[in-house]
Amino acid sequence: MAMRGWPLIKILPIKTNLKFVSFAKYAAVLSTVLVIASLVGVFKPGLNLGIDFRGGAVMELSKPSGQTLDLEQVRVAVDTLGLGDVQVQGIDNDASAIVKFQVPDDVPQAQVVERVQTAITGAVGEVAYSGVSVVGSKVSGELLTSGLLALGAAVVLMFAYIWFRFEPQFGLGAVAGLLHDVILVFGLIVLMRLEFSLNMVAAILTVIGYSMNDTVVVFDRLRENLRKYKQMPLREVIDLTINEILTRTIITGFTAVMVLAALAYFGGPALFGFSIALMFGIVCGTYSSIYVGAPNILLWGVKRGAAADDAKPIKLGMASRP
């Protein structure tokens, strides 16, 4: 009863009667365009790989007594060392900064870090260094491979779970939705030039879990309705199912997005990309459960144990209404 006082619950209707399947064709076109654009973006201009995946070092530095750093002088000082791509990002109103740079394979890592610290101190005066971490090129390559394998394994295991819990048609719809969500999150990373690091891999794995949870809720209710309404056309059963869980899905997703928005605002640069990717992934997961996973069931058809027509695939837009 206490939840009824939340304004959002009063705004959302208890029951809706929207015709989701009628817009499935348009959603399929939109999803196809976005997926293709995302895949192209992954290869060109490509992902903005972080230190975890391309090798290098990252350190945080700050001026004592609340003084501000001259970020341009820091950048110039590190650039003069010839260490390739150098990134300097101010935090806390430029009272501190995060410096990222590459470490040559033929030079000892500790020596490079010491040279960078000496150059920065000479340019901006005494500063305090903290959180220095170095990742070699070999280790970074192994991390990238392991991260991609983790994403692939997650998708395969989710497909196997849906396959055994439901029917193969449901498994295909679930995997289509998962691939859709993962690819679009990669597209967002490319579009916003977010740093692709181990944190981002964790965000994508979380998106896979959230998307699968949402899909299971839809499929579970759909299976229940298929047993209850054996004579109802499949497209109408899908519309009924989505309408029944719509309010719950919106409230759950909105609550998660609010938490992640706070994390993006207060978490600083280290968690900003992670939070943005998760927020976008939650929206994609909700969308794909409605317009990717469920329409795939409609395309492939499903056995319902009643009329013979129910076991035949029903094409979008071709089913006749009673």
Side-chain angles (χ1 to χ4, degrees):
M1 297 296 293
M3 290 184 63
R4 293 184 178 275
W6 195 35
L8 181 60
I9 297 180
K10 294 182 178 180
I11 295 174
L12 292 175
I14 297 177
K15 185 177 181 181
T16 58
N17 190 30
L18 304 175
K19 304 299 181 183
F20 291 99
V21 175
S22 300
F23 297 96
K25 291 182 179 178
Y26 307 105
V29 173
L30 175 63
S31 294
T32 301
V33 171
L34 292 177
V35 166
I36 293 175
S38 298
L39 288 174
V40 171
V42 168
F43 294 98
K44 187 176 181 180
L47 295 170
N48 177 27
L49 297 179
I51 296 298
D52 295 332
F53 296 140
R54 67 178 179 179
V58 56
M59 65 174 64
E60 183 176 340
L61 51 99
S62 59
K63 292 283 285 185
S65 304
Q67 302 175 25
T68 58
L69 280 165
D70 190 329
L71 301 183
E72 186 59 31
Q73 287 188 9
V74 173
R75 185 177 294 105
V76 170
V78 181
D79 276 335
T80 57
L81 300 177
L83 299 177
D85 183 28
V86 176
Q87 300 178 25
V88 179
Q89 182 177 15
I91 54 177
D92 296 333
N93 295 323
D94 294 344
S96 303
I98 295 177
V99 181
K100 301 177 183 179
F101 53 90
Q102 293 177 282
V103 177
D105 294 333
D106 56 347
V107 181
Q109 297 174 350
Q111 180 179 336
V112 175
V113 171
E114 184 178 352
R115 286 172 54 197
V116 170
Q117 292 178 344
T118 301
I120 293 176
T121 302
V124 298
E126 191 65 30
V127 293
Y129 299 96
S130 61
V132 180
S133 60
V134 182
V135 179
S137 58
K138 181 179 179 180
V139 174
S140 64
E142 293 175 351
L143 289 174
L144 179 59
T145 302
S146 299
L148 295 178
L149 287 176
L151 295 178
V155 173
V156 171
L157 291 174
M158 293 297 183
F159 172 71
Y161 170 74
I162 294 294
W163 183 290
F164 285 108
R165 177 165 180 176
F166 301 97
E167 296 182 28
Q169 297 94 322
F170 288 84
L172 293 173
V175 169
L178 286 180
L179 292 176
H180 170 274
D181 298 341
V182 170
I183 292 172
L184 290 193
V185 171
F186 271 104
L188 177 74
I189 294 172
V190 173
L191 180 64
M192 297 186 63
R193 302 308 297 164
L194 299 175
E195 185 179 271
F196 187 69
S197 61
L198 288 175
N199 280 349
M200 203 60 74
V201 172
I204 296 175
L205 288 172
T206 307
V207 168
I208 291 175
Y210 184 93
S211 177
M212 180 53 62
N213 175 73
D214 214 30
T215 301
V216 167
V217 171
V218 175
F219 284 177
D220 203 43
R221 182 61 64 89
L222 177 59
R223 182 174 59 178
E224 179 183 331
N225 286 337
L226 286 172
R227 295 169 179 168
K228 186 184 300 184
Y229 306 103
K230 295 183 178 181
Q231 302 301 322
M232 182 182 292
L234 183 54
R235 63 186 296 130
E236 294 187 8
V237 178
I238 292 176
D239 277 338
L240 174 66
T241 300
I242 297 174
N243 279 290
E244 286 178 345
I245 54 91
L246 184 62
T247 299
R248 172 261 180 204
T249 300
I250 292 176
I251 292 176
T252 302
F254 185 75
T255 303
V257 168
M258 286 194 303
V259 173
L260 291 169
L263 184 63
Y265 183 79
F266 295 106
L271 295 177
F272 178 79
F274 174 86
S275 306
I276 294 298
L278 267 181
M279 282 192 286
F280 182 73
I282 287 174
V283 174
C284 286
T286 302
Y287 166 84
S288 67
S289 297
I290 297 173
Y291 279 119
V292 179
N296 266 276
I297 306 302
L298 189 61
L299 287 171
W300 288 96
V302 62
K303 294 181 180 180
R304 298 162 65 178
D309 290 340
D310 288 337
K312 297 178 181 179
I314 302 177
K315 302 298 182 182
L316 284 174
M318 298 300 293
S320 57
R321 293 183 177 276

